[in-house]
């Protein structure tokens, strides 16, 4: 205890002397309505914006984290006048994510709104987890012994697999064993919103439902008992790759800028608004999922990961924080728990942090998700009877075309000779 008494003030003093050079914030959107349906007229009235949309409560949650980020970074790290060159606000194109990040930005900068970047959902491999990769069908088949009909349904609608995982987890639950047909995801949200729920959905059933719901998310996000390095890589590998490269680039910029002749301010604060299906694999890649969330629990609304890069005596370090509850105004320091970082240390050297997650990083998730499928189909393509018949017919028609072309040219040449001979005779 005496050692800690002396060490703790030293750490605080050291951090107060550190120069912050970049910040990355990744959060889940705020509270939303159920995606599929609600269970009561009261719930239908409460979630008046529609299924899957941000609620008034979600907007208030976004304002709170906006205030947390404002107090921590505005004025002290970025200009309070909102200079777009200092910021990168990037969102999933889903409306609840866009509304969340816009509210956060409006709260951080009172007189101006940071521009929010996004791309179309099919093209967003940064913040929209892909669920239709070919290899995932094979993985799901191993987990659930899928029939051919199941595979067809999974290809058409990947959430069919999530429903399977939900039913499996419900069947294994003592409390919810007889409730497999209930709309548990909707009941969780309705109870969180303070709405009336069935009497059987008591506190015990609610807590058990969170674990059951986590299992349904885990299979889609490739974590927990359904863990897949490749699945994590496709879902969150591009964001990891971007953040780690950004950190290294900022460090190199400051190393070159010892005399202050160049600016390293571009996009030094980056904020990302995304989904639980990306937060889960991102935490797993860093090795802090269970430490951050607890065992078999999903991330809450507006849970956030914050990665700060700083210079201490010109040596680059990283700190990693987690905000687990939408009501929290404090951040939990997770630095010493991150994969590859020194355990129980307040700071993680940049070179260790940026080498934490090699197996989960990709610069081209599109190719891993889709083009490998096409390559495999091409590799596995075999000639059928119909294929041989079509090739035979094509070859026969080609030969006929060649013969007809030859005869036409020969006839034309003979006609020209005949005409010339007639002209000479006359």
């Amino acid at each position: 205890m005496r050692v800690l008494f002396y060490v703790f003030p030293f750490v605080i003093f050291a951090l107060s002397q550190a120069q912050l050079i970049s910040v990355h914030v990744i959060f889940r959107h705020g509270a939303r309505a159920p995606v599929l349906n609600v269970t009561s007229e009261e719930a239908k009235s409460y979630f008046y914006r529609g299924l899957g949309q941000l609620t008034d409560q979600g907007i208030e949650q976004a304002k709170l984290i906006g205030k947390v980020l404002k107090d921590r970074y505005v004025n002290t790290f970025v200009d309070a006048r909102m200079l777009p060159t200092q910021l990168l606000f990037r969102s999933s194109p889903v409306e609840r994510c866009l509304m969340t990040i816009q509210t956060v930005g409006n709260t951080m900068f009172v007189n101006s709104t940071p521009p929010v970047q996004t791309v179309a959902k099919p093209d967003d491999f940064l913040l929209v987890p892909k669920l239709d990769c070919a290899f995932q069908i094979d993985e799901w088949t191993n987990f659930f012994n899928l029939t051919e009909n199941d595979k067809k349904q999974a290809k058409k609608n990947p959430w069919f697999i999530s429903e399977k995982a939900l039913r499996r987890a419900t069947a294994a639950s003592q409390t919810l064993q007889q409730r497999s047909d209930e709309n548990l995801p909707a009941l969780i949200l309705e109870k969180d919103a303070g709405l009336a729920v069935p009497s059987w959905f008591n506190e015990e059933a609610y807590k058990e439902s969170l674990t059951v719901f986590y299992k349904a998310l885990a299979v889609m996000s490739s974590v927990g008992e359904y863990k897949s390095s490749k699945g994590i890589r496709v879902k969150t590998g591009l964001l990891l790759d971007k953040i780690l490269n950004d950190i290294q680039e900022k460090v190199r910029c400051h190393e070159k800028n010892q005399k202050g002749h160049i600016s390293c301010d571009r996009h030094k604060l980056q904020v990302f608004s995304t989904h639980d299906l990306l937060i889960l694999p991102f935490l797993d890649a860093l090795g802090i999922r269970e430490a951050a969330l607890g065992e078999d629990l999903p991330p809450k609304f507006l849970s956030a990961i914050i990665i700060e890069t700083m210079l201490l005596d010109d040596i680059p370090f990283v700190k990693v924080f987690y905000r687990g509850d939408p009501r929290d105004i404090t951040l939990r320091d997770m630095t010493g728990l991150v994969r590859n970082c020194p355990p129980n240390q307040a700071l993680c050297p940049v070179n260790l942090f940026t080498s934490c997650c090699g197996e989960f990083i990709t610069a081209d998730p599109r190719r891993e998700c889709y083009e490998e499928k096409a390559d495999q189909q091409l590799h596995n393509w075999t000639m059928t009877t119909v294929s041989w018949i079509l090739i035979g017919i094509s070859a026969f028609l080609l030969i006929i075309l060649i013969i007809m072309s030859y005869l036409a040219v020969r006839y034309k040449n003979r006609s020209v000779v005949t005409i010339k001979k007639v002209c000479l005779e006359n």
Side-chain angles (χ1 to χ4, degrees), residues 262-363:
I262 59 175
S263 173
C264 299
D265 280 357
R266 180 168 176 77
H267 292 173
K268 65 180 184 178
L269 173 59
Q270 301 189 17
V271 181
F272 302 94
S273 180
T274 185
H275 306 269
D276 49 10
L277 292 186
L278 189 138
I279 296 293
L280 278 168
F282 194 94
L283 289 171
D284 210 283
L286 293 181
I288 58 174
R289 179 177 57 81
E290 286 199 3
L293 303 177
E295 185 178 1
D296 293 349
L297 287 174
K300 295 182 179 180
F301 292 120
L302 268 168
S303 53
I305 304 146
I306 299 178
I307 303 169
E308 296 181 346
T309 306
M310 61 195 70
L311 298 177
L312 185 60
D313 294 330
D314 293 327
I315 300 173
F317 292 95
V318 165
K319 286 191 71 64
V320 179
F321 299 95
Y322 186 70
R323 177 184 186 262
D325 192 280
R327 297 165 295 184
D328 285 346
I329 58 173
T330 58
L331 307 175
R332 291 169 54 197
D333 190 341
M334 311 294 291
T335 309
L337 301 173
V338 173
R339 192 189 310 274
N340 217 38
C341 289
N344 303 316
Q345 296 296 309
L347 298 168
C348 181
V350 159
N351 64 314
L352 294 181
F353 180 78
T354 55
S355 60
C356 70
C357 317
E359 67 176 303
F360 305 115
I361 292 173
T362 178

Side-chain angles (χ1 to χ4, degrees), residues 131-132 136-137 140 153-163 220:
L131 306 177
D132 57 347
Q136 291 182 136
I137 298 294
W140 293 337
Q153 290 195 56
K155 288 177 182 177
K156 181 184 285 187
N157 177 22
W159 291 102
F160 169 76
I161 298 299
S162 180
E163 180 66 23
M220 307 309 286

Side-chain angles (χ1 to χ4, degrees), residues 182-193:
E182 299 287 349
N183 189 350
L184 296 178
L187 288 172
I188 291 171
L189 296 180
E190 290 167 14
K191 186 174 177 63
D192 284 342

Side-chain angles (χ1 to χ4, degrees), residues 166-218:
L166 187 72
R167 288 183 175 276
R168 173 186 283 183
T170 304
S173 165
Q174 293 295 323
T175 307
L176 304 172
Q177 202 170 47
Q178 307 301 319
R179 302 291 180 179
S180 59
D181 292 328
E182 299 287 349
N183 189 350
L184 296 178
L187 288 172
I188 291 171
L189 296 180
E190 290 167 14
K191 186 174 177 63
D192 284 342
L195 305 178
V197 293
S199 57
W200 65 265
F201 197 68
N202 53 26
E203 195 63 25
E204 183 182 359
Y206 169 76
K207 290 179 180 178
E208 192 70 21
S209 293
L210 290 176
T211 298
V212 167
F213 182 57
Y214 159 78
K215 298 293 180 71
L217 295 177

